[in-house]
Amino acid sequence: MNWISLTSEEQLAQIQEASFLKPQVIFKHSTRCSISSTALHRLERAEAPADIDFYYLDLIQYRSLSAKVAEVFQVKHESPQILLIKNGQCVYHESHFAIAMEEIVENALSH
């Protein structure tokens, strides 16, 4: 898994712009949560498609950025959480044990 660190609000505009060319995924991870660690390990064990960019957001270190992600993409904050961004907007999101690479890929292809 080639994670791109999400560390600034400026990257959100870049993610939106890039999502018109290929799907973008944001994984919001709490380094203090065992459920979040399990979700992270499940994603890392799965084969990540090369045609999707995967961003990693450390919720503990970047709390305000996490709130901005929720605001920009109009999705209620949860942790852990994935957001699939296509054509500038969140077209799919999931949290906790429902996070699965297969679902991400399926939704990336169907929207």
Side-chain angles (χ1 to χ4, degrees), residues 53-84:
D53 289 334
F54 287 86
Y55 286 83
Y56 172 95
L57 173 58
D58 179 337
L59 297 176
I60 305 303
Q61 192 170 4
Y62 298 101
R63 286 188 190 277
S64 63
L65 182 54
S66 176
K68 190 68 173 179
V69 168
E71 177 188 323
V72 167
F73 295 108
Q74 301 176 356
V75 175
K76 179 183 175 248
H77 165 76
E78 295 192 63
S79 170
Q81 184 177 42
I82 60 103
L83 290 81
L84 172 63

